[in-house]
Amino acid sequence: MTLQLFAHPFSSYCRKALIALHENATPFVFRMLDPEHPENDAEWSARWPLRKMPILVDGEKTIVEVSTIIEYLQIHHPGPVHLIPEDALEARMLDRIFDNYVMTPMQQVVGNALRPEDAKDPYGVGQSMQMLDKVYAWLEARLQGRKWAAGDAFTIADCAAAPSLFYADWVRPIPDGMSALKSYRARLLARPSVSRAVEEARPFRRFFPLGAPDRD
Ligand SMILES: N[C@@H](CCC(=O)N[C@@H](CS)C(=O)NCC(=O)O)C(=O)O
């Protein structure tokens, strides 16, 4: 049974899953979640009432939460790239850090831009910006001398880092002085699985609510 990913290419968590699939050239059917495909929307809602994307469907099984999707792929549809390395603690820890402290504040700032004028949350945006500043500084120190987040091998942590840092840098540019973090982001963008996912999403850039910068 062919795997199915219910997703939208411009979504940051969907990109994390796409990078994992592209890394191992795993065959799958892309089930687009947009107004032109109401049948996909209906199946997504039935399978995951929380309506968070993406979800992976493998026959009768529905797998939600991208980190778990990546674990599932490695167990049930493995390829040459082991995104969960044998000694996976550091990769798993960094995966959590990118999701919780880069992706979440970045999404809060983007989400605020989509709120009605009378429901904006400037205090929350300020807190998210502070979180991004703190995590950038931590990552800058952590990434010294490293090729990928958890060492020499590309792992689940890099799948999380690529979309979170991609959009976070649009929302809160990484300071020029943070050369390790800036060059790590550039290295991620040059990785074929990542650049493929970025290109797949390029047609949707005009929908970025804060105005997509003319780069990347
Ligand atoms: N923790 C979830 C997060 C998924 C998530 O928040 N996806 C976003 C798109 S990037 C979404 O579905 N947003 C729609 C909404 O919150 O209504 C995961 O790792 O899969």
Side-chain angles (χ1 to χ4, degrees):
M1 187 78 72
T2 311
L3 291 169
Q4 302 178 68
L5 188 78
F6 288 69
H8 189 286
F10 202 51
S11 136
S12 47
Y13 277 105
C14 296
R15 185 173 300 176
K16 178 177 168 184
L18 285 167
I19 291 166
L21 287 160
H22 294 338
E23 274 296 320
N24 278 311
T26 309
F28 69 100
V29 172
F30 190 90
R31 301 280 305 268
M32 183 73 159
L33 293 174
D34 69 3
E36 279 83 65
H37 298 84
E39 70 289 1
N40 292 349
D41 192 283
E43 188 173 341
W44 174 46
S45 291
R47 287 184 177 274
W48 188 217
L50 270 63
R51 289 176 61 84
K52 294 285 179 187
M53 63 172 91
I55 62 167
L56 184 76
V57 173
D58 190 6
E60 289 308 304
K61 274 187 270 184
T62 302
I63 303 98
V64 303
E65 293 293 312
V66 182
S67 299
T68 312
I69 289 174
I70 295 173
E71 301 258 3
Y72 180 88
L73 288 171
Q74 175 140 325
I75 295 166
H76 297 282
H77 300 271
V81 181
H82 292 177
L83 296 170
I84 317 286
E86 231 162 75
D87 180 5
L89 268 189
E90 192 176 4
R92 287 197 174 96
M93 181 180 84
L94 282 151
D95 171 64
R96 297 296 74 236
I97 288 168
F98 283 112
D99 274 11
N100 290 325
Y101 307 120
V102 183
M103 200 88 103
T104 296
M106 175 278 288
Q107 287 191 332
Q108 278 164 348
V109 177
V110 174
N112 184 69
L114 293 166
R115 288 183 177 199
E117 267 325 304
D118 60 357
K120 299 274 188 214
D121 177 15
Y123 183 78
V125 168
Q127 284 185 315
S128 296
M129 294 298 198
Q130 278 178 22
M131 177 61 78
L132 287 172
D133 291 343
K134 282 192 273 190
V135 78
Y136 286 173
W138 187 85
L139 286 166
E140 174 65 16
R142 182 90 185 183
L143 288 166
Q144 295 294 323
R146 281 178 188 230
K147 182 170 183 195
W148 301 115
D152 291 339
F154 189 92
T155 68
I156 184 172
D158 304 296
C159 297
S164 58
L165 287 174
F166 178 86
Y167 288 115
D169 186 52
W170 285 9
V171 159
R172 184 73 158 176
I174 297 167
D176 282 338
M178 294 195 179
S179 56
L181 183 55
K182 277 180 99 72
S183 59
Y184 172 59
R185 183 178 181 276
R187 224 162 23 253
L188 287 167
L189 281 172
R191 180 101 176 168
S193 62
V194 177
S195 62
R196 180 174 164 191
V198 168
E199 290 316 312
E200 287 164 347
R202 196 173 291 279
F204 303 99
R205 283 198 183 189
R206 65 184 185 283
F207 297 120
F208 190 69
L210 294 162
D214 190 18
R215 58 182 165 88
D216 300 323

